[in-house]
Amino acid sequence: MRTLRLGLLGLGQVGGGLYQICSAKRDFFIEDIGVRFDFKKIAVKNKSKKRSFQVPKQLLTTDAMSVVRDPEVDVVVELIGGTREAYVLVTEALKHGKHVVTANKALLAEYGDEIFALANKMKRWVFFEASVGGGIPVIKALREGLVANRLDSIHAIINGTSNYILTQMTENGKDFKEALAEAQQKGYAEADPALDIEGVDAAHKLAILVRFGFGGRVKFSDISCEGITRISSEDIAFADEFGYRIKLLAIAKKFSDGIEARVQPTLLPAGHMLASVQGSFNAVMVHGDEVGDVLFYGRGAGSHPTASAVLSDLVDLAMRQGSHFDLGKVPMRAIQRPLKVKSISAILSRYYLRFHIVDRPGVLAKISEILGKHQISISDVIQKERSAGSVVPLILLTHDAAEKQVRTAIQTIDKLEIVRGKSQVLRIEGNS
Ligand code: HSE
C-alpha cells in the first residue's frame, strides 16, 4: 500500500471534485489501485463557506503558505488558478521538497521554464495532466503513447466555455451572453471569463501542447490569439450556408523555418471530425510522423472530469514513490530547446470575408478588384438580395492567400464609401 500525503490548495470546482472523488472512491483506490490519499491540509479562501459536501473543519486553513511548507505533506495539489499567488506557492512547495500536481495552464504557459527548471534542480516532479483538455489524458498520451513520433501538427478545441457558447449559438440559436452565463453556471468558465472568450485560456493550453508535442518551448506572447467575441449569429448562419461550422481552434504546425501557433475562430467543413465536437467537450487532433492522425476526445472542463485528470497524476506519483527521479513528464528538450514561432502575418490560409455593403452596381467588382490586386483569389460568393441601395451582407470565400495581403486588402476595402462597419475575417481550415 502506498500512501500519499496531500496538501490541497483550493476547494472550488476542481478541488471540490477531487475531494469528493477521493472520499467516494476511497476503498476503490486502496483495494484496486493500492493507493491511500491522506489529505493533511486544505487551503481555502473562506472556511465557513457552505459546501455541497462534508469536509472535516480541522483540515481547512486560510493560510496557503502553511500548506506548502507543512513537513507532513508530500504532494502539493495546486487548484487555485491564476498566476501570481500560484507561482509563489508552487515554487515555495518545490523549495520545500514537495512534488506538485497542478491544473494551472496559465501558470505553466507563462512560467513553465522557471517552474520546470526549479523542479529539476530540486529533483521533484511537477505533473499537470489536468491543465489541458480537462479529463482527456492527452499529456500522458503525448509523452508515453506517442513517444515514437515527431508531431507535425496539432488542431485542438481546448476551451470548453467557448465551444459551449458556439454550440448553443449554432444549434439552439442562443445569444452570446445567455450561453456564456450558462457556461459559468455549469462551472466551465474561468474566474475571469474573458480568458475563455478572448482565446487566452486556449492559448495557454496550446503553449503546453506545443512544448510536449513538438518538444521545445515557445514564448507565450508569440502565440497569436483571437477569441470568439466578434462572432455573430449572422457569421454562424453564413458559414453554415457554405457547409462550415465555426469553432475556436488552437492550431500549431511545424515547418522547416519555424512553427505556427495560433488560437482563432475557424471555419471547419461540417464533415470534419472536430466540427462535431459539441458543448463543453474538447478534442485534440495530432499528426505524428509514424502514427498519422490521432484524435483525443472528452470532457474538457468541469469539476469531476478535471479532477479525474488530477487523480491520474496523483496515482502516477504514488507509483513513483521511492524511485529514482527523472524528468518524467518533462523531456529535456521541452525545457531547453526554444522553438521559433512564425509571425501570424507570414501564414497562408483560406479565408471567409464578410462585408456589409451598400447594394449598388459595381460594388462586387470594386471589392474583387482590390482583392485581385493583392493576389487573393475568390472561390465562392453569397450576396443576400434586398431592395437596391440598402445595406446587405456580402460573403466571399478565398483560395489560399497570404495573411499579410489579406490584412492590407481589408484595410483598403473598409475605407470604401460603400462598405459599412468593420469587415469580418475568419480563417478556414480542413480542406483546400
Ligand atoms: N475555462 C476552461 C474551459 C476550464 O472552459 O475550458 C478548463 O480548463
Side-chain angles (χ1 to χ4, degrees):
M1 171 68 56
R2 291 159 190 264
T3 298
L4 223 50
R5 299 177 305 170
L6 305 179
L8 176 58
L9 306 177
L11 198 56
Q13 286 291 337
V14 184
L18 176 70
Y19 190 82
Q20 288 176 74
I21 299 175
C22 287
S23 307
K25 292 194 167 160
R26 189 180 157 78
D27 293 346
F28 162 75
F29 278 114
I30 291 175
E31 287 158 23
D32 290 33
I33 315 291
V35 178
R36 193 162 67 89
F37 297 118
D38 184 5
F39 285 87
K40 286 289 175 193
K41 266 187 181 166
I42 301 176
V44 292
K45 274 201 198 112
N46 177 2
K47 285 209 273 183
S48 348
K49 181 181 161 185
K50 275 218 168 353
R51 297 191 163 80
S52 60
F53 52 93
Q54 299 285 321
V55 193
K57 271 251 150 55
Q58 69 274 14
L59 287 185
L60 302 182
T61 173
T62 52
D63 180 6
M65 208 44 110
S66 74
V67 179
V68 301
R69 290 177 177 160
D70 189 329
E72 290 201 343
V73 165
D74 305 313
V75 182
V76 168
V77 184
E78 184 276 301
L79 301 174
I80 57 171
T83 49
R84 286 173 69 122
E85 196 189 352
Y87 179 81
V88 173
L89 291 169
V90 162
T91 50
E92 190 69 10
L94 289 169
K95 286 176 194 160
H96 279 76
K98 320 294 179 198
H99 301 293
V100 171
V101 171
T102 178
N104 195 330
K105 51 267 163 159
L107 180 71
L108 295 180
E110 293 180 31
Y111 300 101
D113 291 346
E114 293 91 323
I115 288 171
F116 292 127
L118 178 62
N120 197 28
K121 184 174 153 212
M122 298 304 299
K123 300 202 181 310
R124 290 295 178 270
W125 284 295
V126 175
F127 285 175
F128 45 89
E129 185 61 71
S131 64
V132 182
I136 308 170
V138 64
I139 299 295
K140 195 164 247 196
L142 292 181
R143 183 181 64 102
E144 294 174 7
L146 298 180
V147 68
N149 289 266
R150 284 177 192 279
L151 297 193
D152 47 44
S153 71
I154 300 170
H155 289 85
I157 293 174
I158 39 179
N159 183 262
T161 303
S162 299
N163 204 51
Y164 183 86
I165 294 171
L166 290 175
T167 304
Q168 290 299 332
M169 288 172 75
T170 308
E171 305 299 325
N172 303 324
K174 294 219 168 137
D175 75 18
F176 189 97
K177 272 193 179 160
E178 190 187 352
L180 171 60
E182 280 177 17
Q184 287 177 293
Q185 187 255 322
K186 287 174 187 286
Y188 305 148
E190 297 301 303
D192 173 5
L195 293 174
D196 296 300
I197 60 180
E198 301 291 355
V200 182
D201 176 75
H204 284 146
K205 292 165 180 168
L206 184 62
I208 298 171
L209 285 178
V210 166
R211 186 190 280 270
F212 299 101
F214 290 176
R217 49 195 169 79
V218 292
K219 222 163 101 201
F220 177 66
S221 52
D222 286 347
I223 297 179
S224 145
C225 178
E226 202 180 308
I228 59 167
T229 49
R230 286 200 318 115
I231 301 298
S232 64
S233 306
E234 183 186 47
D235 291 318
I236 288 175
F238 287 131
D240 184 54
E241 280 195 44
F242 285 114
Y244 290 91
R245 299 281 175 275
I246 300 180
K247 293 288 183 190
L248 183 70
L249 224 57
I251 301 169
K253 297 179 185 175
K254 193 148 59 179
F255 298 95
S256 54
D257 58 344
I259 68 161
E260 279 178 23
R262 49 193 155 104
V263 171
Q264 61 189 42
T266 307
L267 270 73
L268 280 175
H272 192 285
M273 277 197 272
L274 292 178
S276 59
V277 176
Q278 305 282 45
S280 73
F281 278 88
N282 280 195
V284 180
M285 184 179 247
V286 300
H287 187 270
D289 57 352
E290 306 299 344
V291 70
D293 281 329
V294 181
L295 178 66
F296 304 96
Y297 171 84
R299 286 219 175 266
S303 169
H304 283 226
T306 313
S308 156
V310 173
L311 274 157
S312 114
D313 282 344
L314 289 176
V315 170
D316 203 335
L317 270 177
M319 297 307 165
R320 285 166 191 252
Q321 258 181 346
S323 67
H324 169 72
F325 172 83
D326 59 39
L327 274 172
K329 293 190 176 186
V330 187
M332 210 62 201
R333 64 194 180 121
I335 296 175
Q336 291 175 341
R337 186 177 70 156
L339 292 172
K340 180 174 165 259
V341 180
K342 291 165 63 156
S343 155
I344 186 76
S345 61
I347 75 163
L348 209 62
S349 176
R350 297 182 63 219
Y351 291 84
Y352 161 103
L353 309 175
R354 192 251 304 138
F355 309 100
H356 284 142
I357 52 153
V358 181
D359 191 8
R360 242 188 242 158
V363 171
L364 184 54
K366 182 76 197 149
I367 289 179
S368 32
E369 184 197 327
I370 296 171
L371 294 176
K373 271 192 189 150
H374 291 86
Q375 283 79 50
I376 301 161
S377 159
I378 297 166
S379 66
D380 227 330
V381 183
I382 298 180
Q383 186 187 331
K384 292 291 168 188
E385 203 182 349
R386 282 185 206 148
S387 56
S390 63
V391 176
V392 293
L394 167 69
I395 300 94
L396 305 174
L397 302 192
T398 76
H399 291 293
D400 265 342
E403 172 92 13
K404 206 172 172 179
Q405 297 279 19
V406 172
R407 287 187 183 202
T408 321
I410 296 297
Q411 270 174 13
T412 312
I413 291 170
D414 277 354
K415 283 185 196 139
L416 295 176
E417 180 265 326
I418 38 119
V419 172
R420 298 293 147 86
K422 209 167 174 301
S423 307
Q424 177 68 288
V425 179
L426 299 173
R427 302 178 193 92
I428 304 173
E429 286 276 321
N431 60 9
S432 46

